[in-house]
Amino acid sequence: MNINTEGVKSFIPTATIEALIESQKNAPESRIREIIAKSLDKNRLEPEETAALLSVTDLELKQLILEGAHELKERIYGNRIVLFAPLYVGNECVNDCVYCGFRISNKECLRATLSHEQLVRETQSLVERGHKRLIMVYGEHPKYSPEFIAETVQTVYATKYKKGEIRRVNINAAPVDIEGFRTVKSVGIGTYQIFQETYHEETYRKLHPSGPKSNFLWRLDGLDRAMKAGIDDLGIGALMGLYNWKFEVLGLLYHTIHLEDTFGVGPHTISFPRIEPANGTEFTEKPPHQVSDEDFKHLVAVIRLSVPYTGMILTAREPIALRNEVLRYGISQIDAGSSIGVGDYSAKDEESRKKSQFVLGDTRSLDDVIYELAQGGYIPSFCTSCYRAGRTGEHFMEFAIPGFVKRFCTPNALLTFSEYLHDFSSERTLKAGLQLIDNELAKIEDETMRASVTAKLEEMKQGKRDLYF
Ligand code: SAM
Ligand code: SF4
């Protein structure tokens, strides 16, 4: 692969962002209310508006922002939470990202790449637990070429096991060239996710001292190349803790605006993981810009309001109580029952820790997470219907098309949830889940719709599977 950044210009205006964070401090309540109202009217915010929200320190105003984000989520997206699992394919890596357990200089990392047979077994283990959606994760290494990635994705899709199969595979891997992105696209991936880690170029250079990832512009331009290759379902992200989190949120917003302006489509998802402790990785013991729980909640709410149309991903890096709380502020997807060691789902052993990228905050099983979601009034969803029915950009449609959520998303969430309950759930989850489905059915106002969801749920009970609208 030829790493060529000739003609690529950064769209991150560093000095402007720093200045905005300062100049937008102490916005009066009336302005904060106006900004929230603009977002509730389904408008993406401008950087100065996001900066004003980020700079709020007054506790009552912060509360207003949290409530605004909650209202936006409820109004537009309802109470569904999409579930997925990460599948680590290989942890070989030629980069030296100081915060990552897979970095080349980490002698404590036990290197592993799944063989074809191991990948099949990992997929079977995930299918057996009820998963339908995966994100496949790779270190950056010549072994993990676009052809290799494509082949591993095909293996996962081809693995039918007992009561199910994986129906959507997203990717988190290094950015490649346009030809490489075409190869990966050709096997029918969902989202291609690349995190910029930090949008602050100087910090980026320090924390990525060697390897292809040390090239800030190559990474920043990665999703542009993906778009040019025809992948328009993209995930952006920043790793919180490397630099000022307010700067990173504005970086994410500028990236969003750049994609909108250049390609007419913003990001499908935004991720904002915090740094977690990693084996053999001193940097993670005390990240230079550690984000507190309070600030984390605030940043989740500000991202929700800033880009109302995007999906927001919260991972099991975060502890359970915080996860449960921030679900309210606009999260649309979480992973559950996750293992992040290569080969851990089917063969966890003493050495697993050494094959993991970092340590998880939430280690509940998928069934436990589902039980708690149902108890909390959320509908766990494994829906993949838009992607499979060729309705691309589904998150945007949920946002933009009036009635879309009621017509497709909620019914499909209920159907995939009932599929899980019939095939995979524990007794207590089954009971809580059936109750939730009854409550949700009663909420469907349109009688024809309610009748047709009820009929499909009945077909599920009789043994039919994979039904969707
Ligand atoms: N190697 C590819 C890359 O760097 O883009 C893709 C996979 S990498 C394993 C996925 C993400 O994990 C990185 O983009 C980074 O944000 C995150 N990550 C790395 N170290 C982490 C840590 N200690 N805690 C939390 N997240 C971490
Ligand atoms: Fe490699 Fe990705 Fe880890 Fe960096 S974050 S060391 S590129 S696996």
Side-chain angles (χ1 to χ4, degrees):
M1 187 176 59
N2 180 17
I3 295 189
N4 181 358
T5 50
E6 223 181 277
V8 176
K9 283 206 191 74
S10 173
F11 46 80
I12 299 298
T14 307
T16 307
I17 295 181
E18 304 277 17
L20 278 176
I21 295 171
E22 278 307 308
S23 69
Q24 299 301 311
K25 275 184 181 160
N26 303 321
E29 179 174 337
S30 56
R31 172 126 201 272
I32 298 299
R33 283 190 185 277
E34 253 172 52
I35 297 171
I36 296 173
K38 175 177 174 185
S39 169
L40 287 172
D41 264 348
K42 300 173 97 176
N43 298 299
R44 202 243 312 120
L45 299 182
E46 294 303 328
E48 54 275 20
E49 294 163 333
T50 293
L53 296 184
L54 287 170
S55 299
V56 163
T57 50
D58 178 90
L59 290 183
E60 278 176 25
L61 287 187
K62 274 189 172 176
Q63 193 54 34
L64 212 59
I65 292 173
L66 292 176
E67 280 161 20
H70 177 60
E71 192 177 335
L72 192 145
K73 177 187 156 78
E74 291 257 290
R75 238 200 242 178
I76 301 181
Y77 300 108
N79 56 345
R80 292 160 299 124
I81 297 286
V82 170
L83 293 166
F84 69 95
L87 172 53
Y88 278 67
V89 181
N91 65 13
E92 300 263 8
C93 195
V94 294
N95 293 314
D96 209 16
C97 316
V98 298
Y99 45 81
C100 180
F102 294 168
R103 73 191 184 287
I104 191 167
S105 63
N106 187 9
K107 298 289 171 274
E108 289 184 34
C109 177
L110 206 62
R111 304 290 163 179
T113 301
L114 296 177
S115 66
H116 176 82
E117 291 69 30
Q118 284 171 320
L119 178 57
V120 170
R121 277 205 296 279
E122 286 286 278
T123 311
Q124 289 173 339
S125 289
L126 286 159
V127 169
E128 205 171 20
R129 289 166 215 201
H131 280 291
K132 298 284 185 285
R133 304 169 61 108
L134 298 186
I135 180 140
M136 292 174 70
V137 186
Y138 308 76
E140 179 160 6
H141 193 274
K143 272 187 193 172
Y144 312 142
S145 63
E147 290 71 25
F148 174 86
I149 294 178
E151 203 183 299
T152 50
V153 171
Q154 281 175 314
T155 301
V156 167
Y157 279 138
T159 305
K160 313 276 174 219
Y161 189 61
K162 291 187 184 168
K163 292 180 179 162
E165 66 280 314
I166 297 300
R167 296 176 187 158
R168 175 173 170 129
V169 171
N170 299 331
I171 299 289
N172 187 325
V176 291
D177 56 17
I178 296 177
E179 210 36 58
F181 278 119
R182 281 202 191 103
T183 303
V184 180
K185 178 185 159 59
S186 70
V187 293
I189 58 160
T191 309
Y192 201 116
Q193 225 180 44
I194 302 170
F195 301 161
Q196 187 59 30
E197 320 297 11
T198 174
Y199 284 94
H200 190 256
E201 190 166 349
E202 195 188 317
T203 305
Y204 185 96
R205 288 187 198 289
K206 281 190 202 139
L207 303 181
H208 304 93
S210 62
K213 194 165 163 181
S214 61
N215 189 328
F216 178 81
L217 283 181
W218 177 251
R219 189 140 181 116
L220 195 63
D221 186 51
L223 294 177
D224 282 48
R225 295 193 299 280
M227 282 277 191
K228 288 173 188 160
I231 305 179
D232 61 359
D233 187 336
L234 300 173
I236 63 173
L239 183 58
M240 298 295 170
L242 303 179
Y243 190 64
N244 178 358
W245 58 271
K246 296 178 187 172
F247 188 99
E248 305 299 9
V249 172
L250 284 163
L252 290 165
L253 182 63
Y254 273 102
H255 202 162
T256 299
I257 295 172
H258 168 79
L259 293 172
E260 283 178 12
D261 288 350
T262 317
F263 302 101
V265 199
H268 188 75
T269 57
I270 298 185
S271 302
F272 30 85
R274 288 192 296 186
I275 295 182
E276 295 303 320
N279 190 41
T281 308
E282 206 185 327
F283 181 90
T284 59
E285 286 164 21
K286 205 173 176 312
H289 293 270
Q290 202 152 25
V291 178
S292 69
D293 289 357
E294 275 319 293
D295 287 344
F296 188 70
K297 278 184 241 172
H298 188 170
L299 80 82
V300 168
V302 174
I303 295 175
R304 176 67 297 152
L305 290 167
S306 298
V307 194
Y309 63 74
T310 201
M312 289 176 66
I313 301 181
L314 180 73
T315 69
R317 291 173 177 88
E318 303 302 338
I320 300 172
L322 184 66
R323 265 190 130 193
N324 287 341
E325 194 181 346
V326 295
L327 283 184
R328 289 170 52 78
Y329 307 134
I331 302 300
S332 40
Q333 295 188 27
I334 61 171
D335 58 334
S338 300
S339 287
I340 56 168
V342 179
D344 266 9
Y345 290 112
S346 52
K348 200 167 178 120
D349 59 28
E350 301 283 290
E351 304 279 66
S352 287
R353 193 176 56 93
K354 295 189 190 158
K355 286 183 263 174
S356 292
Q357 194 190 9
F358 47 82
V359 181
L360 290 180
D362 181 352
T363 53
R364 289 173 296 172
S365 69
L366 174 63
D367 196 69
D368 284 348
V369 171
I370 289 185
Y371 174 74
E372 286 184 36
L373 285 175
Q375 292 286 83
Y378 292 103
I379 315 172
S381 173
F382 293 93
C383 180
T384 55
S385 74
C386 282
Y387 157 72
R388 288 158 75 224
R391 298 190 295 258
T392 55
E394 76 259 24
H395 206 275
F396 188 73
M397 287 194 283
E398 290 171 24
F399 168 81
I401 302 176
F404 191 90
V405 169
K406 284 189 179 147
R407 239 176 40 239
F408 294 104
C409 310
T410 305
N412 287 333
L414 292 173
L415 291 173
T416 54
F417 182 36
S418 93
E419 191 173 12
Y420 173 84
L421 293 174
H422 291 308
D423 290 344
F424 305 102
S425 87
S426 64
E427 273 302 310
R428 73 167 189 165
T429 305
L430 179 65
K431 208 163 147 224
L434 291 176
Q435 182 62 55
L436 179 85
I437 291 179
D438 276 350
N439 296 347
E440 291 297 323
L441 272 176
K443 285 192 215 160
I444 301 179
E445 285 157 14
D446 180 332
E447 273 181 35
T448 322
M449 188 73 222
R450 193 177 338 118
S452 101
V453 180
T454 309
K456 278 205 166 45
L457 285 168
E458 191 50 41
E459 285 182 62
M460 288 270 193
K461 225 189 249 170
Q462 305 306 325
K464 277 230 172 124
R465 291 293 173 264
D466 200 12
L467 302 176
Y468 57 86
F469 290 92

